[in-house]
């Protein structure tokens, strides 16, 4: 019965992604939370950890015992978040590193700083996200949502392979979005150069790429003992959602999830034992379909062509 309800929530999307969906599905997880101290001795990095879901994830990872690194582009904001986490989790070991995930030089500097500070990295959450109003590019000429959600995470992962490989059970999570269900892979135009630009479309296309490349990255990193997951947090009340989709956010306000509820599945993916099946798209601790519309399906050839494009544009060396 509960599984039929879960599937129904999945397909009706809106109720499933609200806090009502979270509470209903939570019934299935009773007693299955990661044990206290589950991440003691482990090191976690969360990008975009200065606010919203990223800050909530960092708080939970720290509460489970991980040394938690906040990767932020604004160190002042990061410092405030670090203070809040230390207040909520006394004794938490919270580090701060500057990382603009849309900028290759910043990513490389971040990876160098981490390599100097740590011997291993066990958890890497690609959470930083953006929904621009107008088309913008990073300093290398890549469209901003592609750079932020795909190219930056691929480059950061690539530069951190030596640290991740030292873990033995490293877990990477892409914070994707159910918004991707509306968009196919942008095979002909990955940089969104053609047609009128809509930030929400760019956002959904880049989130589609995140989910599509998850199994490829997972296969390529398996020999290093690294697993890769993608997840959707639900519709969550955060500064980002309020700023980028104000009408949607205010219409759904009472039904939106808290940041902690949005963070739940990503934290669970990193902390649960045995390790969850990798290479998949998760929501509320279950693997979910990657397509609801026939028009979003793609061939292996198209997937490999977008992978090769992104791999090259990200400047990946290892995987
Ligand atoms: N809220 C939702 O309903 C929802 C639904 C589906 C998916 N998501 C995903 O969840 C993730 C977190 O979003 P949120 O809702 O928590 O929004 P948020 O509060 O705006 O958090 C996004 C974070 O990403 C950071 N960021 C943006 N661009 C960055 C860059 N180039 N380098 C480093 N950090 C950068 C932001 O930092 P600044 O403060 O410096 O801007 C901010 O801290 C995103 O990937 C988003 O797409 C959210």
């Amino acid at each position: 019965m509960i599984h039929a309800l879960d599937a129904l929530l999945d397909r009706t999307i809106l109720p499933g992604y609200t806090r009502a969906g979270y509470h209903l599905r939570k019934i299935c997880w009773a007693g299955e939370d990661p044990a206290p101290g589950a991440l003691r001795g482990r090191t976690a990095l969360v990008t975009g950890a200065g606010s919203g879901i990223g800050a909530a994830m960092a708080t939970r990872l720290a509460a489970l015992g991980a040394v938690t690194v906040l990767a932020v582009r604004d160190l002042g904001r990061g410092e405030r978040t670090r203070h809040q986490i230390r207040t909520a989790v006394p004794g938490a070991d919270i580090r701060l590193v500057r990382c603009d995930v849309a900028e290759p030089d910043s990513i490389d500097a971040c990876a160098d700083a981490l390599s100097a500070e740590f011997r291993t990295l066990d958890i890497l959450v690609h959470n930083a996200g953006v929904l621009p109003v107008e088309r913008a590019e990073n300093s290398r000429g890549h469209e901003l949502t592609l750079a932020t959600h795909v190219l930056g995470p691929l480059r950061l992962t690539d530069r951190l392979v030596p640290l991740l490989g030292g873990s033995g059970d490293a877990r990477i999570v892409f914070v994707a979005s159910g918004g991707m269900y509306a968009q196919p892979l942008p095979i002909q135009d990955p940089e969104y150069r053609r047609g009128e630009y809509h930030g929400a479309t760019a956002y959904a296309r880049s989130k589609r790429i995140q989910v599509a490349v998850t199994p490829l990255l997972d296969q390529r990193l398996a020999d290093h003992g690294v697993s890769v997951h993608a997840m959707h947090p639900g519709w969550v009340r955060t500064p980002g959602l309020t700023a980028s989709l104000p009408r949607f956010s205010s219409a759904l306000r009472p039904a939106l999830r808290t940041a902690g509820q949005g963070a739940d599945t990503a934290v669970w993916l990193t902390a649960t034992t045995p390790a969850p099946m990798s290479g998949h798209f998760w929501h509320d601790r279950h693997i979910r379909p990657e397509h609801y519309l026939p028009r979003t399906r793609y061939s292996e050839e198209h997937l490999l062509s977008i992978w090769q494009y992104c791999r090259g544009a990200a400047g990946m060396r290892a995987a």
Side-chain angles (χ1 to χ4, degrees), residues 133-279:
V133 179
E134 291 177 354
R135 190 177 184 285
E137 294 181 347
N138 73 357
S139 62
R140 308 276 175 101
H142 297 296
E143 189 275 327
L144 193 63
T145 63
L146 183 74
T148 306
H149 301 148
V150 182
L151 307 184
L154 290 180
R155 188 180 184 98
L156 184 59
T157 301
D158 184 73
R159 300 303 189 258
L160 293 176
V161 163
L163 288 189
L164 292 162
S167 165
D169 174 23
R171 304 189 196 174
I172 297 175
V173 179
F174 281 97
V175 180
S177 170
M180 64 118 193
Y181 281 124
Q183 290 294 325
L185 276 182
I187 297 142
Q188 304 298 335
D189 187 19
E191 301 279 0
Y192 207 149
R193 292 203 166 92
R194 301 179 202 159
E196 191 181 345
Y197 186 85
H198 296 285
T201 303
Y203 175 88
R205 287 179 180 177
S206 60
K207 294 288 179 180
R208 165 64 73 191
I209 301 176
Q210 284 187 323
V211 174
V213 301
T214 290
L216 296 183
L217 192 61
D218 181 59
Q219 285 157 20
R220 281 156 177 79
L221 295 179
D223 288 348
H224 298 271
V226 180
S227 56
V228 186
H229 312 269
M231 57 78 68
H232 171 57
W235 304 130
V236 184
R237 191 170 157 194
T238 62
L241 189 78
T242 308
S244 52
L245 298 174
R247 274 187 283 182
F248 176 80
S249 168
S250 78
L252 274 186
R253 196 178 178 85
L256 292 175
R257 294 179 177 206
T258 65
Q261 291 166 351
D264 177 83
T265 293
V267 173
W268 177 82
L269 284 166
T270 66
T272 195
T273 43
M277 195 186 294
S278 61

